[in-house]
């Protein structure tokens, strides 16, 4: 695999050629005063200098709503398998780390063919952060930079990009970039400087412990007053779940067609802060209290998911929930720091 340098103009020509090809190209674009991933039809619209997107790129592996299978009420069923290929342009390191976690979660135990087929059909061109968002704290969560998962990593160095091909799929794309030259030592030093800057700067909220300490901390926090204090203001709107790159809970429902003979099994995003998330048969809701739901989200991030994937903390510090929460209570760092400051840790 190669590490090359291309000018930004040369890279734009490459994107224009991709857009003109029969590939499905998705990239980050401006949406009013914010940014969003969407289908890219014009290379000039691509914004690799964005701060953060409204929704994370997980929506391309786990869509908000998708058909899982079509069935006949009498019995026969056929799985609906996604097969569309896609180039996904502009994934930030913290979102890449979230995707890496989801890849592990959806491939361990019951292998999720719908998620994994989509994932395997996506070529990811990641990019280092150029502009800090107002609530990012990726540096506190060790996710300001990333070295796995992508096919290509771009790092902006002045008028050029360092283009690091990490897979055969990525190298095949780099081979299409006219003007790509082997990166010089000076280019690589500039890339290192970008990484050092991001490791220091992407830290608008500072966690007062190492993320790896969170599972141990939470062992002592189940009855902490912080859950009740914060949840008192919670609207149970679920926004903190919906914008989160590591939230992956979904609901599955069967929809029967008007003929009453056929139907489709669908899944759609769910959120553990929503009032009825934990409602089961008999209308029993085993997380009826807001405080219980609020605590559950922070335990998922800091203890339960790490227990499934070798201690990796399921908060990558993107800061989206901090921005999305109108009640201003969702910031994981504030909650974890409060517990740290008020808990006997021996
Ligand atoms: S919990 Fe909040 S800051 Fe952490 S990954 Fe999810 S949305 Fe981002
Ligand atoms: S975004 Fe805020 S108010 Fe809405 S469910 Fe999450 S914590 Fe509660």
């Amino acid at each position: 695999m190669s590490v090359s340098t291309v000018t930004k103009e040369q890279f734009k020509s490459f994107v224009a050629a991709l857009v003109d090809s029969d590939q499905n190209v998705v990239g980050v674009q401006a949406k009013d005063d914010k940014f969003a991933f969407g289908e890219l039809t014009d290379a000039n619209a691509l914004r690799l200098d964005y701060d953060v997107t409204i929704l994370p790129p997980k929506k391309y592996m786990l869509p908000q709503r998708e058909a899982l299978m079509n069935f006949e009420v009498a019995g026969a069923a056929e799985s609906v398998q996604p097969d569309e290929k896609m180039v996904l342009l502009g994934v930030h390191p913290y979102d890449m780390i979230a995707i890496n976690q989801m890849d592990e979660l959806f491939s361990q135990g019951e292998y999720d063919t719908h998620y994994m087929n989509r994932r395997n059909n996506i070529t990811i061109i990641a990019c280092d952060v150029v502009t800090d968002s107002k609530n990012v704290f990726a540096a506190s969560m060790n996710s300001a930079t990333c070295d796995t998962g992508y096919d290509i990593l771009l790092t902006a160095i002045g008028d050029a990009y360092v283009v690091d091909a990490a897979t055969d799929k990525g190298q095949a794309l780099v081979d299409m970039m006219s003007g790509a030259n082997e990166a010089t030592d000076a280019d690589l030093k500039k890339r290192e400087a970008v990484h050092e800057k991001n490791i220091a700067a992407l830290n608008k909220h500072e966690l007062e412990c190492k993320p790896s300490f969170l599972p141990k901390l939470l062992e002592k926090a189940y009855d902490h007053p912080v859950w009740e204090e914060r949840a008192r203001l919670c609207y149970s709107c679920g926004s903190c779940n919906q914008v989160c790159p590591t939230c992956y809970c979904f609901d599955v429902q069967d929809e029967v067609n008007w003929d009453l003979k056929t139907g489709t099994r669908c899944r759609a995003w769910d959120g553990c802060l929503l009032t009825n998330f934990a409602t089961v048969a008999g209308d029993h809701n085993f997380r009826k209290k807001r405080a219980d739901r609020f605590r559950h989200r922070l335990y998922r991030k800091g203890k339960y998911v790490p227990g499934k994937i070798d201690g990796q903390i399921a908060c990558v510090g993107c800061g989206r929930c901090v921005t999305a929460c109108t009640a201003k209570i969702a910031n994981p760092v504030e909650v974890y720091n409060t517990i740290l400051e008020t808990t006997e840790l021996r």
Side-chain angles (χ1 to χ4, degrees):
M1 297 321 142
S2 66
V3 183
S4 326
T5 309
V6 289
T7 66
K8 287 186 173 172
E9 276 309 310
Q10 287 164 339
F11 184 75
K12 195 190 276 184
S13 303
F14 159 76
V15 175
L18 259 190
V19 167
D20 286 344
S21 72
D22 55 2
Q23 306 241 30
N24 182 16
V25 184
V26 162
V28 179
Q29 295 156 73
K31 191 170 184 180
D32 301 324
D33 60 342
K34 297 189 172 64
F35 294 95
F37 283 95
E39 187 189 352
L40 193 67
T41 54
D42 176 1
N44 290 310
L46 180 67
R47 291 290 300 273
L48 295 182
D49 61 340
Y50 74 98
D51 53 1
V52 66
T53 54
I54 302 166
L55 288 180
K58 75 172 180 190
K59 63 184 179 178
Y60 296 106
M61 295 100 199
L62 185 69
Q64 283 99 329
R65 182 174 183 77
E66 70 176 321
L68 298 178
M69 69 172 192
N70 294 319
F71 60 82
E72 289 173 18
V73 174
E78 191 181 4
S79 180
V80 178
Q81 288 297 339
D83 58 5
E84 191 184 29
K85 293 204 184 308
M86 176 188 294
V87 177
L88 183 53
L89 259 163
V91 174
H92 275 167
Y94 48 80
D95 279 335
M96 191 64 249
I97 290 171
I99 292 170
N100 292 343
Q101 291 185 1
M102 299 244 286
D103 292 351
E104 269 191 73
L105 289 157
F106 279 97
S107 61
Q108 66 178 210
E110 293 296 322
Y111 186 89
D112 191 305
T113 53
H114 294 84
Y115 175 93
M116 291 306 295
N117 281 354
R118 286 184 200 279
R119 175 65 182 96
N120 292 331
N121 281 331
I122 295 176
T123 302
I124 296 183
I125 302 182
C127 67
D128 279 311
V129 176
V130 173
T131 310
D132 315 352
S133 65
K134 66 176 179 180
N135 282 312
V136 66
F137 57 93
S140 266
M141 307 313 289
N142 297 333
S143 50
T145 60
C146 170
D147 52 17
T148 52
Y150 49 77
D151 297 286
I152 292 175
L153 175 67
L154 301 173
T155 311
I157 51 160
D159 290 336
Y161 290 111
V162 174
V163 183
D164 196 332
T167 64
D168 290 341
K169 274 198 293 185
Q171 186 62 53
L173 288 178
V174 174
D175 291 343
M176 290 165 52
M177 283 180 206
S178 58
N181 291 313
E182 191 180 343
T184 64
D185 287 349
D187 296 335
L188 296 178
K189 275 200 181 115
K190 286 182 192 164
R191 177 170 74 165
E192 212 176 304
V194 170
H195 289 167
E196 280 169 11
K197 176 193 146 278
N198 284 349
I199 286 168
L202 302 185
N203 212 18
K204 304 293 166 67
H205 306 277
E206 188 156 358
L207 184 67
E208 288 165 9
C209 68
K210 288 187 177 168
S212 57
F213 184 65
L214 291 175
K216 200 158 187 241
L217 176 71
L218 289 174
E219 269 172 29
K220 300 191 179 274
Y222 200 78
D223 296 317
H224 197 285
V226 71
W227 312 120
E228 200 64 61
E229 284 163 16
R230 293 225 158 206
R232 227 176 271 145
L233 299 172
C234 178
Y235 300 118
S236 301
C237 65
S239 300
C240 49
N241 296 129
Q242 303 296 294
V243 299
C244 181
T246 66
C247 277
Y248 62 91
C249 288
F250 54 82
D251 192 22
V252 175
Q253 289 192 340
D254 285 352
E255 293 171 358
V256 177
N257 295 328
W258 285 109
D259 62 10
L260 300 183
K261 290 179 184 155
T262 57
T264 302
R265 178 163 294 174
C266 297
R267 73 171 163 193
W269 290 1
D270 205 344
C272 59
L273 268 291
L274 297 171
T275 312
N276 287 326
F277 177 79
T279 301
V280 293
D283 218 20
H284 177 66
N285 187 342
F286 57 87
R287 236 175 271 126
K288 209 170 191 165
K289 285 174 58 187
R290 275 181 298 181
D292 291 350
R293 298 194 295 274
F294 187 85
R295 174 177 57 199
H296 182 76
R297 170 173 166 261
L298 277 302
Y299 265 69
R300 285 283 291 180
K301 307 286 169 212
K303 184 162 170 47
Y304 302 151
V305 174
K308 290 169 178 266
I309 50 172
D310 289 337
Q312 296 175 63
I313 301 303
C315 169
V316 291
C318 70
R320 290 184 179 96
C321 61
V322 184
T323 307
C325 178
T326 26
K328 304 283 171 235
I329 54 171
N331 186 338
V333 167
E334 286 178 1
V335 175
Y336 294 141
N337 283 349
T338 300
I339 297 169
L340 268 168
E341 286 156 14
T342 52
T343 302
E344 178 67 62
L345 292 172
R346 267 175 304 147

